[in-house]
Amino acid sequence: AQSVSQHNHHVILSEAASLELGCNYSYGGTVNLFWYVQYPGQHLQLLLKYFSGDPLVKGIKGFEAEFIKSKFSFNLRKPSVQWSDTAEYFCAVTGVHNDYKLSFGAGTTVTVRA
Amino acid sequence: DGGITQSPKYLFRKEGQNVTLSCEQNLNHDAMYWYRQDPGQGLRLIYYSQIVNDFQKGDIAEGYSVSREKKESFPLTVTSAQKNPTAFYLCATKGGSYNSPLHFGNGTRLTVT
């Protein structure tokens, strides 16, 4: 069975601070990895994804994530956050050979103070 | 305007009643999903359907039922057997290509009292 663990439940930081959200997954095979974001009052949307190739992937709004296979991790980073980054962030995993079943982590709420 | 429509946005029911949540899509996506979102637990997969007339249980299917009679529609019934039905329910779709992401609807908040 696949599962995702997100280390932080709630992160509070000031504008211009750097952000890193931890994500570890459990799956006995090759994976596809995702970060989704849910801004207040909006629906979930894809932030970035990793399927293969360069383990450092870049997404929208200056976010990036690094896949470290040996650590089963896919941490999300942003060098300098803005107030508009306030949202809930979800890490998700699916197996390459079972890509229809996507499993999500519990989510991390990020609050950016102006 | 393509998208996923979940209705209603808010739904209230008495305990012991079954209730059906609607999900309609015009994205022409084959795969459809139902997730339940609870604070601190993220999204948990209830049911998914890869194609019309076929569906599979997710991680928390007990107390729920679905049907997939049309490509556009994937209704979810929350039965009286579901012990904690009050939650935010999200419907999603996925396109046919391998690297397609999930597209989510705006959700239905169900409150059972």
Side-chain angles (χ1 to χ4, degrees), chain B residues 36-77:
Chain B
R36 170 181 170 141
Q37 186 176 8
D38 296 281
Q41 298 192 62
L43 278 71
R44 293 181 290 167
L45 182 62
I46 304 172
Y47 268 98
Y48 64 107
S49 167
Q50 297 183 42
I51 200 165
V52 175
N53 292 322
D54 185 52
F55 48 83
Q56 288 81 39
K57 292 181 179 180
D59 300 316
I60 55 164
E62 186 175 350
Y64 298 98
S65 66
V66 293
S67 62
R68 187 82 188 278
E69 297 176 1
K70 299 185 301 181
K71 187 174 186 177
E72 302 79 21
S73 178
F74 190 41
L76 173 75
T77 297

Side-chain angles (χ1 to χ4, degrees), chain A residues 2 9 32 34 36 38 41-46 49 51 88 90 95-107, chain B residues 31 33 35 37 39-43 45 48 50 57-59 88 90 94-102 104-106:
Chain A
Q2 59 205 54
H9 179 61
N32 295 328
F34 307 81
Y36 281 83
Q38 188 171 33
Q42 296 187 28
H43 61 272
L44 272 161
Q45 56 187 287
L46 182 69
K49 61 187 179 184
F51 287 104
E88 190 160 16
F90 295 92
V96 164
H97 300 295
N98 184 23
D99 74 316
Y100 281 96
K101 188 178 177 185
L102 194 65
S103 296
F104 286 82
Chain B
Y33 302 76
Y35 284 90
Q37 186 176 8
Q41 298 192 62
L43 278 71
L45 182 62
Y48 64 107
Q50 297 183 42
K57 292 181 179 180
D59 300 316
F88 189 57
L90 283 166
K94 184 180 184 297
S97 62
Y98 173 70
N99 58 359
S100 298
L102 289 183
F104 285 89
N106 285 330

Side-chain angles (χ1 to χ4, degrees), chain A residues 42-63:
Chain A
Q42 296 187 28
H43 61 272
L44 272 161
Q45 56 187 287
L46 182 69
L47 197 56
L48 49 79
K49 61 187 179 184
Y50 170 81
F51 287 104
S52 64
D54 189 345
L56 183 64
V57 292
K58 296 191 183 299
I60 59 173
K61 303 188 181 186
F63 284 91

